[in-house]
Amino acid sequence: MIGRIKQIISESGYSGFVKRLSARIVRERNMVLFLAKDACFGSYKKQDKPHVLNNILKMEERDIWCTVSAIPQVVIDHYLEHRFDLLGSGWVKVFYGMNCRGLQQYRFPPASSVHPDRQGHWLKGRINHSNLSVAQKIWQQVDPGYTPIDWQIDFKSGYRWSEKAWSKKIKFGHKSGVDVKVPWELARMQHLPQLALTCFSSALDDATKSHLKNEFQNQILDFIATNPPGYGVNWICPMDIAIRASNWILAWNLFQVAQLKCSAQFEAFFAQSLYEHGRYIIENLEWMPDRANHYLADITGLVFIAASLPATKETDCWLAFAIQELIVEVERQFDEDGGNFEGSTSYHRLSAEMVYYATALVLGLPEERLERLKSYDHQLLKIRRGKPGLKPAPLLFYPFEAALKYNPFPQVYLQRMERMAEFIKDITKPDGSILQIGDNDSGRFFKLEPVYQVMTVKDAHERYANLENYCELPPQSDYYMEDHLNCRHIVVGAYALFARNDFANWLGGQQAVRHKADAIMLSALVAHNQIPPNPISNAATQFGTIANVELFNDRLSQLQHLPEGQVRKSEFTIKEGNLSEGLKLFAYPDFGLFIFRSPRLYLAVRCWTGNQPVHSAHRHQDQLSVELSIDGRNLIYDPGTYLYTSLPEARNKYRESASHFSPFSQVDKSDIQTSHVFSPLHVEKAQVVYFGLEGFAATTTVKAEYELLVSLGNKSVMIYHGGHKFQKGECKNSAPAFSPGYGIRDRIGIVWND
């Protein structure tokens, strides 16, 4: 305890310690009040009158959904059997009493199995007493024969949390091998919209479609009954609560459009739970001075919930607040060049998804709903002290050169949305994957149309170390591995909203985009209106003349003549053709990324100049690192992330300088051994010396002895690392095994070959 106090004081000072202590006292007081109230009344909100949900999709537009690309039937069958492949788990069936394979050497014994009965007596002893009767009423709406999902289990390690525990007192990250993200990911229920989309297939008969709708109902009722509000592992994180509610809403709307109506009893419990989700989010906003994607998810979820619930004074305030904060966070979390301030390409994808969907939904709301945002009572929204409040009405609207009458988003906001997609387009490598910079937790807001790599179970087992001892499926059966580095759906969505031809051309033409689920969904949400495009000229055209070529050549000559121990040289060559023909440059100086592209070359340099504020919890020690592909072959690439709290040593290994192809790869690694896996990193600022057709050169601004220079020739790429005393024979070109997504890891380590 004393050590922790000293650490807080060293990080935040005495005033910061006092603030944290005060916040802790408030949290403890709130916990006592909550538990006392719940002991008498339970945490399910009492219904004054049933909520009737609004449709956010037009019921008469069924035909456009019949053209959507189909989800593989094998994947749908897995979902119907309650089999999920999340965060490197492999396709496994999740149920009470399951025997899990374990994570490396960590494996927990199976919990007790259950024997569900129609009346819900099996919930006794699992659900806290004050919530039991309501939980049983909800369970009684589940179809007979349905097998419940264990929503509380980390189905990789086998560790299980209790559904009776108050969520704010639940511990996680405290046991090796245990990953709280696994149940959180499952409880996002991002597979439900996929079940709904399948119902538009003409190949399915009515009975099969009805079965899919019933499964949707059963899984949601199962969750609501076994996860009372505020209890269990899935009520810890408001971000995941927001993502879950949004996926429920989208799936329900799709079933409605498919003319598959849910039962009245289900809709009563469903709508009430959505309200409970909204109340929990607004009362537990993840706002803090150094906030990031979690808070963005909170307000995005509020947009979906408020838009779906009936228009009341309360939900009007939720909606107005969410729009207000969405505008603030887009300008704060996305720099002028379009890159996300967290310094992670994967988190850029997640945050851009949330912005796109929330914006489209707001712009497509009925005029009468948006009109109410001119007269809401801001005093009705009670936000905890220290967090932003709702500004008085009216919400500000901006002129729009389109059919849309109500537009609450300023022009700079819409411009940054375009740049978000341009960023994805520019960082996508020739093999279709984005380069990994910073953390990758495979996070998504919606997964309407995942991209899969299909292989046999045997091949998957032989390739991926995380599938050690996997035997859930027969060796020769098809294994669908989700491609977590394919982010084309962002550009698909951008084309749907902005109708820019360059987006469509990059995707293969308008015909290729037309049947994509994200394009159809975003177009439907925005009521088929389009935002007038206003693309910003790429910063590369302005940044390419940062220095003259003479300075670059002088520094290149100096490096070429340094003794072997003072410089590290790596050469990559081709025998025929020209690497530089058709070369184009792209710069994202705020994010810290400089890209060279030609038909045969893809070269990216990570160089953060420190011009903009950053959120470093998801950054890696990758300053001045390089990614290189020639003729579509990845020669130098970032190893990824692998895991977070379950294996801190592995997390640190993937994060440290030694795992990146940079001048810092041999520095002392002690700076990465932080007290917490998300502790901010000190990233050395760099100064770009040259960025142009001849290559790239940069040095660190404080420790100027560290230097990167890349020389581009017609048939070669030469990379020079200067500043480190390179020992003869040291292993300079290796990194941990490649991780293409959270929890996924190749069996062999990376070796960068010259």
Side-chain angles (χ1 to χ4, degrees):
M1 177 63 73
I2 294 177
R4 177 59 177 158
I5 292 174
K6 290 181 178 179
Q7 179 189 356
I8 293 173
I9 293 174
S10 66
E11 292 176 352
S12 308
Y14 286 100
S15 62
F17 170 72
V18 171
K19 288 181 180 179
R20 290 196 185 190
L21 180 60
S22 300
R24 178 65 179 271
I25 292 172
V26 171
R27 286 197 301 269
E28 294 295 327
R29 182 202 65 184
N30 291 338
M31 178 192 70
V32 172
L33 293 174
F34 175 88
L35 292 177
K37 179 182 178 182
D38 179 61
C40 300
F41 306 109
S43 61
Y44 290 105
K45 302 296 181 186
K46 301 299 184 289
Q47 285 185 283
D48 297 326
K49 65 177 183 178
H51 298 294
V52 178
L53 295 179
N54 299 318
N55 295 309
I56 61 174
L57 298 176
K58 293 181 179 179
M59 298 301 100
E60 64 272 17
E61 293 186 344
R62 185 175 186 274
D63 289 347
I64 65 171
W65 290 103
C66 292
T67 66
V68 71
S69 305
I71 305 295
Q73 188 59 47
V74 171
V75 173
I76 297 300
D77 290 341
H78 284 324
Y79 294 151
L80 292 174
E81 296 167 4
H82 299 176
R83 188 177 287 117
F84 306 95
D85 181 11
L86 298 173
L87 307 181
S89 67
W91 287 103
V92 294
K93 189 172 184 177
V94 181
F95 58 94
Y96 289 87
M98 66 183 295
N99 195 2
C100 301
R101 289 186 295 116
L103 177 63
Q104 295 183 187
Q105 72 270 30
Y106 301 101
R107 185 183 182 190
F108 293 82
S112 60
S113 58
V114 299
H115 303 283
D117 62 284
R118 189 77 175 91
Q119 298 303 315
H121 297 306
W122 71 281
L123 296 173
K124 189 174 182 179
R126 291 187 170 274
I127 305 301
N128 60 302
H129 179 72
S130 59
N131 282 318
L132 179 59
S133 63
V134 177
Q136 289 174 328
K137 289 179 182 178
I138 297 169
W139 178 260
Q140 289 164 14
Q141 300 303 316
V142 174
D143 290 339
Y146 170 85
T147 302
I149 296 170
D150 189 350
W151 303 101
Q152 304 292 326
I153 192 171
D154 167 9
F155 50 88
K156 290 168 69 174
S157 71
Y159 182 86
R160 191 178 190 281
W161 287 267
S162 171
E163 52 268 77
K164 289 196 299 184
W166 189 44
S167 60
K168 294 183 183 299
K169 296 298 288 184
I170 287 179
K171 293 182 179 180
F172 58 92
H174 62 299
K175 286 184 177 290
S176 297
V178 177
D179 199 339
V180 73
K181 285 180 66 64
V182 175
W184 285 356
E185 191 80 8
L186 175 60
R188 289 181 175 185
M189 299 174 81
Q190 292 169 321
H191 59 282
L192 293 183
Q194 296 176 37
L195 292 183
L197 284 169
T198 303
C199 292
F200 294 98
S201 171
S202 60
L204 299 184
D205 57 29
D206 290 343
T208 302
K209 295 177 182 179
S210 181
H211 177 54
L212 291 169
K213 184 262 297 180
N214 291 340
E215 182 65 25
F216 161 77
Q217 288 189 167
N218 288 334
Q219 287 193 24
I220 289 184
L221 290 168
D222 176 10
F223 183 90
I224 297 173
T226 58
N227 292 266
Y231 284 86
V233 73
N234 292 309
W235 285 93
I236 293 175
C237 180
M239 174 185 193
D240 292 283
I241 295 166
I243 295 176
R244 174 168 63 248
S246 301
N247 277 272
W248 285 6
I249 289 167
L250 215 59
W252 179 81
N253 274 271
L254 286 167
F255 279 114
Q256 294 284 104
V257 175
Q259 299 175 6
L260 293 163
K261 303 295 184 180
C262 298
S263 70
Q265 296 88 343
F266 166 80
E267 295 213 353
F269 288 122
F270 178 60
Q272 183 64 20
S273 186
L274 287 176
Y275 175 75
E276 290 163 352
H277 278 64
R279 280 287 298 270
Y280 193 92
I281 293 167
I282 202 70
E283 292 172 359
N284 296 275
L285 291 167
E286 295 172 278
W287 190 97
M288 56 192 72
D290 61 345
R291 64 199 180 277
N293 65 84
H294 276 237
Y295 184 61
L296 185 59
D298 297 349
I299 57 180
T300 299
L302 274 179
V303 169
F304 273 83
I305 295 169
S308 300
L309 291 172
T312 65
K313 292 181 179 180
E314 182 178 24
T315 58
D316 286 346
C317 287
W318 290 2
L319 184 58
F321 176 79
I323 295 171
Q324 167 192 295
E325 292 302 287
L326 192 60
I327 295 169
V328 171
E329 294 308 306
V330 165
E331 186 171 357
R332 180 178 179 275
Q333 296 193 29
F334 289 91
D335 294 319
E336 187 176 354
D337 64 13
N340 187 270
F341 82 143
E342 293 195 75
S344 160
T345 51
S346 294
Y347 278 89
H348 173 96
R349 179 259 311 275
L350 169 64
S351 296
E353 281 182 9
M354 295 188 288
V355 172
Y356 269 53
Y357 272 94
T359 304
L361 177 54
V362 170
L363 291 176
L365 286 174
E367 288 190 5
E368 58 269 21
R369 189 67 195 272
L370 289 169
E371 184 70 27
R372 293 175 64 95
L373 299 180
K374 295 181 178 180
S375 58
Y376 58 83
D377 183 356
H378 73 284
Q379 295 181 340
L380 295 177
L381 188 64
K382 305 299 182 184
I383 303 293
R384 290 182 179 174
R385 182 178 298 178
K387 298 183 179 182
L390 175 59
K391 296 178 181 178
L395 194 69
L396 183 62
F397 290 95
Y398 298 87
F400 215 30
E401 297 178 3
L404 291 172
K405 179 179 178 182
Y406 294 90
N407 168 36
F409 303 110
Q411 189 63 35
V412 66
Y413 177 103
L414 300 173
Q415 288 175 345
R416 291 197 183 182
M417 285 182 64
E418 291 184 72
R419 293 295 290 137
M420 295 173 198
E422 290 177 5
F423 181 84
I424 291 293
K425 184 165 66 77
D426 292 342
I427 68 171
T428 299
K429 299 193 289 186
D431 65 358
S433 65
I434 62 166
L435 57 88
Q436 294 188 85
I437 293 178
D439 277 343
N440 177 10
D441 74 341
S442 301
R444 296 286 302 276
F445 189 61
F446 294 125
K447 290 185 181 182
L448 300 184
E449 193 178 351
V451 177
Y452 294 98
Q453 299 173 359
V454 186
M455 61 194 79
T456 65
V457 171
K458 180 176 181 292
D459 289 341
H461 178 269
E462 291 176 351
R463 177 174 176 180
Y464 297 110
N466 54 290
L467 295 180
E468 187 70 29
N469 300 321
Y470 179 81
C471 57
E472 181 91 6
L473 298 172
Q476 296 306 319
S477 61
D478 286 340
Y479 191 95
Y480 281 75
M481 171 68 75
E482 186 177 343
D483 184 352
H484 298 284
L485 298 179
N486 189 307
C487 296
R488 294 169 66 87
H489 62 282
I490 296 293
V491 186
V492 168
Y495 174 72
L497 294 181
F498 295 98
R500 281 178 45 179
N501 289 332
D502 58 328
F503 289 156
N505 294 338
W506 185 78
L507 293 162
Q510 295 182 20
Q511 188 64 28
V513 182
R514 189 168 299 164
H515 305 306
K516 294 296 183 182
D518 289 277
I520 297 175
M521 178 62 75
L522 283 165
S523 181
L525 287 176
V526 80
H528 305 289
N529 291 294
Q530 290 178 327
I531 304 171
N534 190 3
I536 304 170
S537 59
N538 193 287
T541 59
Q542 305 167 20
F543 213 76
T545 58
I546 190 171
N548 59 50
V549 70
E550 288 78 11
L551 180 62
F552 174 81
N553 288 331
D554 286 346
R555 191 55 202 155
L556 174 60
S557 178
Q558 294 176 32
L559 288 170
Q560 288 173 335
H561 292 90
L562 284 177
E564 181 179 351
Q566 296 182 28
V567 65
R568 186 171 67 188
K569 305 175 185 178
S570 301
E571 183 176 13
F572 302 85
T573 62
I574 60 171
K575 293 182 179 180
E576 298 178 352
N578 187 341
L579 290 175
S580 299
E581 186 175 351
L583 185 66
K584 295 182 179 180
L585 279 60
F586 304 89
Y588 290 90
D590 296 333
F591 182 89
L593 186 61
F594 300 84
I595 300 170
F596 302 79
R597 303 188 71 123
S598 77
R600 301 187 63 181
L601 173 70
Y602 180 93
L603 172 70
V605 179
R606 175 72 164 124
C607 180
W608 180 64
T609 59
N611 292 335
Q612 297 293 330
V614 299
H615 188 281
S616 64
H618 290 301
R619 289 183 174 241
H620 290 189
Q621 293 286 34
D622 55 6
Q623 182 68 300
L624 298 185
S625 62
V626 172
E627 292 225 7
L628 175 65
S629 298
I630 294 178
D631 292 332
R633 182 186 173 203
N634 293 321
L635 302 174
I636 304 174
Y637 48 97
D638 190 291
T641 298
Y642 187 36
L643 292 167
Y644 286 164
T645 59
S646 54
L647 295 176
E649 291 184 3
R651 191 282 196 279
N652 290 338
K653 177 67 176 175
Y654 277 81
R655 207 180 184 198
E656 68 187 13
S657 298
S659 297
H660 300 87
F661 196 89
S662 78
F664 295 91
S665 60
Q666 300 298 321
V667 301
D668 183 9
K669 305 171 189 176
S670 60
D671 61 344
I672 203 69
Q673 307 302 325
T674 57
S675 59
H676 192 276
V677 294
F678 296 115
S679 292
L681 297 182
H682 170 71
V683 181
E684 193 72 45
K685 294 181 182 179
Q687 179 179 2
V688 178
V689 176
Y690 176 80
F691 174 52
L693 295 177
E694 301 295 324
F696 185 89
T699 62
T700 54
T701 56
V702 178
K703 299 179 180 178
E705 66 270 18
Y706 289 99
E707 180 176 8
L708 168 72
L709 188 144
V710 180
S711 176
L712 300 180
N714 291 336
K715 295 187 181 299
S716 68
V717 177
M718 287 290 301
I719 301 175
Y720 298 87
H721 291 159
H724 179 70
K725 304 300 182 183
F726 299 98
Q727 300 298 319
K728 189 174 182 180
E730 67 181 353
C731 182
K732 62 182 178 67
N733 288 339
S734 63
F738 180 60
S739 172
Y742 189 92
I744 305 170
R745 182 166 59 95
D746 285 352
R747 286 192 179 275
I748 58 175
I750 295 173
V751 177
W752 294 308
N753 296 313
D754 297 9

